[in-house]
Amino acid sequence: MIPADADELVTTQDIAEMYQANEHTVTYWTGLPGFPEGWPAGPGRTLVRDAAEVDEWLKTNLPVHWAKGQDSDNPFGLPAGGPKDLVTLSDICVWEGKALGRTEPVPEATLRTYISRKKMPGPDRVPRDGKTPEVTERKWFRETAYEFVNRPRRMRRQTNAAEPPAGEQTPAVGSALPSRSVTTRTGHLDVLAIATTYGVNAQTVRGWTRAAGFPEACEQGYSPAEVDAWVRENRRQTWAKAQRRAELSGRAWAGSSESGKGAAVQREPAEPAAEVQGEQAPLTAEMIGPRYGVSEHTGLEWVAVKEKREGDEVIREAFPTPRRTRPRMYDPREVDAWVEKHRPHVWAAFKGTGPALVYELPEGDPRDLLDIDDFAEVLGMVTRGETLVRETVRAYHSRGQIPFADRTADDGKKPRVFQDHWYRETVYRFVLSRRGSGRFGPRS
């Protein structure tokens, strides 16, 4: 039944087009708390939603994606003013936080890193640049700042409602089953949910719906149990692959009795995914990345690594050979050994070891000022057991690999400094937050 106050109705495809996302991303949004409910409409009984409710939900929960759907040069409602007004870095931090849907400004250190990496334009005005009015700190024109804040964004992850719970990966077609919340709200599936469940595209599923014997859709959509029975009978290879993915990923099967809807479907025996007699379950190529806390794409890149030699010397070791094919299955112990040796920073994060310090950090006041030589000494001694070369730290600084200096020459603050300086707390925070191999030691 269509709500009486519904004005414009949109489908999943409409939402994807309007907010410049793909359909699988929108399908994931529909499973998040508070996303507007849909109802079947039209001859195909396609799920539709109230456009205004969707827009309001996105504005509250996913402001970056919401902004892409607004026909405005100022979607975040930034303060009015002249294009040549001078604004500070602190102002831009507030506006950047607003664009990201945060209640707190973005840390200045973040934007300083953006500047060093050329992701953010440098200041339009600096002290003693000979222009008027004179400025005592770096400043930007309002038009420069607004162009940066309103820039097109590619968000890998969201830090609010769009982010999956810790340890859970966003579902992708062909790699894992979708969240059951899409199904449990109505107890039924739409075409996109069927496609995601069985690792095929939506066009393939639409072809299934026209095939003889495919279950009829009711007002809520398709019965998961009936669809599963049809796929198992008529698309056995597709069904077997999807079931295998479900078991290996630990996700509930869409048509199983666990969903509480429909009759349970008898399953064919499958290889156990749990540890058997002390042996770990094999890994598919798609499971490797998520196992170590990186993306599935990164894991697939590892799988493609080939051996490289210079003469008789092996300078790059190949990724372990799969124990079986179709699908490729890898021994987790062999994969662990390869990741520990060739991706030590990922291994350290996976094991929770973090950077082990060769020497303890020196005591001192958090607001002590350290110059670049001090930075090189602290970073080198605690991570390698010897001081780094000053040029190395300078290179890190120019590439944005260490925090931007807290104090710069003649920045108008006290005490006066004549070169870059960092607060002791800034240096220590950086050292302790580094993702390291956990095997730091003096270089031989």
Side-chain angles (χ1 to χ4, degrees):
M1 181 176 180
I2 300 177
D5 58 348
D7 296 324
E8 182 182 356
L9 304 180
V10 289
T11 64
T12 299
Q13 293 90 336
D14 295 332
I15 297 171
E17 181 177 353
M18 183 180 303
Y19 297 99
Q20 301 178 34
N22 59 56
E23 293 185 18
H24 301 299
T25 298
V26 176
T27 300
Y28 172 64
W29 294 349
T30 63
L32 297 175
F35 194 86
E37 294 286 345
W39 60 90
R45 312 304 293 167
T46 303
L47 280 180
V48 296
R49 293 176 170 82
D50 186 296
E53 291 182 1
V54 172
D55 191 74
E56 183 63 29
W57 187 90
L58 285 169
K59 182 178 181 180
T60 302
N61 297 279
L62 298 174
V64 170
H65 286 286
W66 172 81
K68 295 178 181 179
Q70 310 308 306
D71 186 15
S72 170
D73 294 331
N74 187 18
F76 303 112
L78 303 180
K84 296 300 181 181
D85 291 345
L86 293 175
V87 300
T88 65
L89 188 63
S90 297
D91 295 326
I92 303 175
C93 288
V94 173
W95 300 332
E96 178 73 357
K98 186 175 183 180
L100 294 173
R102 302 177 184 176
T103 57
E104 298 294 331
V106 170
E108 288 192 14
T110 299
L111 295 192
R112 288 170 180 166
T113 301
Y114 287 174
I115 295 171
S116 66
R117 293 179 178 177
K118 310 301 182 185
K119 293 176 60 177
M120 175 179 168
D124 296 296
R125 295 291 311 281
V126 295
R128 298 187 304 280
D129 58 5
K131 301 178 182 179
T132 56
E134 185 177 354
V135 296
T136 58
E137 61 180 315
R138 298 182 302 169
K139 291 194 175 184
W140 286 256
F141 293 135
R142 186 183 297 275
E143 61 182 358
T144 303
Y146 282 13
E147 183 178 354
F148 167 72
V149 174
N150 291 322
R151 69 193 182 280
R153 300 170 185 262
R154 292 183 60 190
M155 299 297 288
R156 292 184 180 181
R157 293 173 67 89
Q158 298 291 328
T159 57
N160 44 33
E163 183 166 332
E168 181 176 333
Q169 302 294 319
T170 303
V173 170
S175 62
L177 295 181
S179 168
R180 292 205 334 269
S181 57
V182 178
T183 302
T184 54
R185 287 202 308 271
T186 62
H188 291 74
L189 301 171
D190 60 8
V191 168
L192 282 176
I194 296 173
T196 305
T197 299
Y198 296 99
V200 296
N201 59 47
Q203 189 61 38
T204 298
V205 175
R206 293 188 182 99
W208 291 355
T209 62
R210 294 190 292 269
F214 194 84
E216 291 290 333
C218 62
E219 290 186 358
Q220 290 78 27
Y222 295 92
S223 164
E226 293 178 0
V227 170
D228 190 61
W230 185 89
V231 175
R232 180 172 181 267
E233 182 65 29
N234 297 276
R235 301 291 187 273
R236 295 185 61 84
Q237 194 171 27
T238 299
W239 181 89
K241 289 180 180 179
Q243 185 192 39
R244 180 64 176 165
R245 283 196 305 274
E247 291 170 344
L248 289 175
S249 63
R251 303 291 184 92
W253 186 255
S256 71
S257 58
E258 182 180 340
S259 67
K261 303 289 181 179
V265 180
Q266 185 178 0
R267 305 280 178 238
E268 291 183 346
E271 295 182 15
E275 295 187 7
V276 179
Q277 296 179 353
E279 295 185 1
Q280 298 183 55
L283 302 171
T284 65
E286 292 77 15
M287 292 170 62
I288 290 172
R291 170 182 170 86
Y292 299 100
V294 297
S295 69
E296 179 183 313
H297 175 72
T298 298
L300 293 175
E301 287 185 331
W302 293 350
V303 169
V305 171
K306 305 296 184 184
E307 183 181 84
K308 183 177 181 180
R309 289 177 172 268
E310 286 187 356
D312 294 332
E313 181 183 1
V314 177
I315 61 174
R316 185 177 66 200
E317 186 176 333
F319 194 80
T321 304
R323 291 302 183 182
R324 53 176 286 192
T325 58
R326 298 185 181 179
R328 292 175 295 177
M329 304 297 292
Y330 295 84
D331 186 327
R333 292 167 298 185
E334 294 180 354
V335 177
D336 282 350
W338 189 89
V339 173
E340 182 178 8
K341 181 177 180 181
H342 299 283
R343 300 294 186 273
H345 62 288
V346 176
W347 179 258
F350 172 60
K351 301 300 289 184
T353 57
L357 305 183
V358 178
Y359 295 104
E360 293 297 324
L361 291 167
E363 295 183 1
D365 190 285
R367 304 298 283 184
D368 287 343
L369 290 174
L370 308 183
D371 62 19
I372 198 163
D373 292 315
D374 298 325
F375 202 139
E377 180 178 358
V378 170
L379 181 59
M381 292 301 292
V382 301
T383 60
R384 304 186 184 189
E386 59 182 349
T387 302
L388 291 179
V389 179
R390 174 197 287 221
E391 285 67 29
T392 299
V393 179
R394 287 195 184 281
Y396 290 167
H397 194 211
S398 66
R399 294 196 295 263
Q401 293 175 302
I402 63 175
F404 197 84
D406 296 299
R407 296 288 309 279
T408 56
D410 293 327
D411 55 9
K413 300 178 182 180
K414 295 182 179 180
R416 184 180 180 184
V417 297
F418 299 95
Q419 60 177 313
D420 290 340
H421 279 74
W422 291 259
Y423 294 128
R424 185 184 297 275
E425 62 183 356
T426 301
V427 176
Y428 286 12
R429 188 183 307 116
F430 167 73
V431 170
L432 295 175
S433 66
R434 294 174 69 248
R435 292 177 65 186
S437 66
R439 296 195 301 267
F440 291 124
R443 285 183 292 184
S444 57

